[in-house]
Amino acid sequence: MSAPAGLVTLGEVMVSLSANRIGPLRGARQLDVSVAGSEANVAIGVVRLGHSASWLSRLGADEFGELVRGTLRGQGVTVCAPADPSAPTGLMVKERRTGDVGRVLYYRSGSAASRLGPADLPLALIESARVLHVTGITPALSGSAADAVRHAVSVARAAGVTVSLDVNYRARLWDPSAARVELSALARLADLVFASADELAMVDADGDPERLLADGVHAVVVTDGSKGAYSVTAAGVVRQPAFPVRVVDPVGAGDAFVAGYLAGLLDDLDEPARMRQAAAAAAICVGAEGDWEGLPSTAELTLVSSADGTVVR
C-alpha cells in the first residue's frame, strides 16, 4: 500500500441518522442518513484543503459499514478498515428536541471499531505519513482501541512523524478520572495538542499550556467557541478571533478547526496563518448542516470575508 504524503488518523465512524423535524424523536417521520466521526471529519477536511489522508479502523460487514466505506472514499480519503463479520458498524441518532437544543443517542457498544487493536494498524503507512492525528475518543472505546492508539503514537514518534492529539473528551464513554490519566499521558507524547477551554484540565491538572510545552509538546491550541482561539508555542501566544457567522449546525466545528490547522501545517504556513485558516474552516463548516458536509475547499476559505447576502458568480 502506498503511503499518503499527508495525514493518517484512526478512530470510529458511525452511521448518523438525523431527524429533520423539531420535536421528540418518536414523532419523526423521516431520518436523513450520513456518516459521522471526529477523526474522519478531520481527514475529509484535510483532503478538501489539498492534502491526502488515510483513515484506519474496523467496520461491520454490513450495509452501514459499506455506507461508511463508500462515503469516505467518495470524499477522497483512503480507507484501511477490515470488515468484521461478528460486530456491527456503530450507529448514532440525532434528535432536534427544540429549535435550540439537540440530543444524540449512541449505539456503539460492542461495535466493530471498538475491536480495533494494534494488529490492525498498517505500520508502514503510519511511519511514512507527515502527521498522525488521534483523539481522546478512540482510547475510550475499549482497552484494545486504547492500545491501538498508544501503539500508533509510539510508531509515529519513532519514525519522526508529527503527532497531533485532539483531547475530545466524551463523558458518556468514560469517567473523568480514567480519562485524565490516559489523556494526560497521551498529550505528553504529542507534538500538537488541541483542546477546548474546558478540556485543558484533562491533560494538565492546572489547565496550564506552558506545562505541556515544558513536557515536550510543541504547540497547544485552545478553542473557546465564539470567543475565538489561541495557540501557545515556544515563540509565544497567537490569538485568533472567531469569524462572525450565522450558525446552522455547530457540530463539527472543532474538527473543521483542526483540519484547517493541520492543512496549514502541511503547507508549511506560519503559526498565525495556520490559526487563521483553522478559524476560517470552522466558520464555514458551521454554516451548513452536517458534521463534515460544510467543510471548505481551499478556494472557499475566502468566503469568511464575504458580506451577508453575497452571491458568488
Side-chain angles (χ1 to χ4, degrees):
M1 181 183 298
S2 60
L7 181 88
V8 170
T9 188
L10 63 151
E12 180 168 33
V13 171
M14 295 171 286
V15 166
S16 172
L17 304 179
S18 303
N20 55 16
R21 62 188 288 178
I22 296 171
L25 188 61
R26 72 194 73 154
R29 298 295 179 265
Q30 294 178 315
L31 297 173
D32 290 332
V33 183
S34 185
V35 304
S38 176
E39 300 85 2
N41 294 345
V42 172
I44 293 171
V46 165
V47 168
R48 289 191 179 177
L49 293 173
H51 297 278
S52 56
S54 294
W55 171 75
L56 318 178
S57 190
R58 295 178 70 88
L59 290 166
D62 49 33
E63 285 299 303
F64 283 163
E66 289 307 308
L67 174 61
V68 171
R69 194 183 305 277
T71 300
L72 295 189
R73 285 178 174 169
Q75 295 303 313
V77 176
T78 299
V79 176
C80 304
D84 188 334
S86 58
T89 303
L91 176 68
M92 62 187 292
V93 183
K94 297 180 179 180
E95 174 190 58
R96 297 173 65 191
R97 186 60 185 85
T98 72
D100 298 317
V101 178
R103 296 193 296 202
V104 181
L105 305 172
Y106 293 99
Y107 301 89
R108 68 197 309 179
S109 179
S111 69
S114 72
R115 298 187 177 195
L116 180 69
D120 295 310
L121 303 178
L123 302 185
L125 194 64
I126 295 171
E127 289 170 337
S128 54
R130 287 187 61 191
V131 177
L132 172 71
H133 177 66
V134 298
T135 79
I137 299 172
T138 309
L141 298 179
S142 67
S144 66
D147 289 341
V149 171
R150 294 188 207 105
H151 190 52
V153 169
S154 175
V155 169
R157 283 172 58 87
V161 175
T162 296
V163 176
S164 164
L165 167 69
D166 186 350
V167 174
N168 242 332
Y169 172 63
R170 295 291 188 266
R172 290 188 187 182
L173 293 179
W174 52 358
D175 64 62
S177 58
R180 285 190 188 97
V181 171
E182 183 73 29
L183 296 176
S184 179
L186 197 57
R188 284 157 178 79
L189 298 174
D191 299 293
L192 308 172
V193 174
F194 297 89
S196 63
D198 58 353
E199 287 175 335
L200 269 179
M202 283 292 164
V203 290
D204 182 79
D206 297 323
D208 184 358
E210 295 288 351
R211 290 191 9 174
L212 290 171
L213 295 187
D215 288 336
V217 178
H218 297 165
V220 180
V221 182
V222 183
T223 58
D224 198 7
S226 62
K227 296 179 181 178
Y230 65 92
S231 70
V232 184
T233 70
V237 178
V238 173
R239 298 190 181 278
Q240 174 62 51
F243 289 99
V245 64
R246 184 177 303 164
V247 177
V248 174
D249 186 350
V251 177
D255 299 330
F257 187 98
V258 172
Y261 185 99
L262 293 180
L265 173 69
L266 293 169
D267 282 327
D268 297 318
L269 301 183
D270 61 20
E271 191 68 15
R274 294 177 199 174
M275 291 292 287
R276 177 180 169 80
Q277 179 163 285
I284 295 170
C285 181
V286 300
E289 293 276 3
D291 288 27
W292 55 268
E293 286 84 348
L295 289 163
S297 66
T298 302
E300 290 172 330
L301 288 171
T302 58
L303 293 176
V304 294
S305 301
S306 301
D308 285 351
T310 297
V311 178
V312 181
R313 300 182 188 277

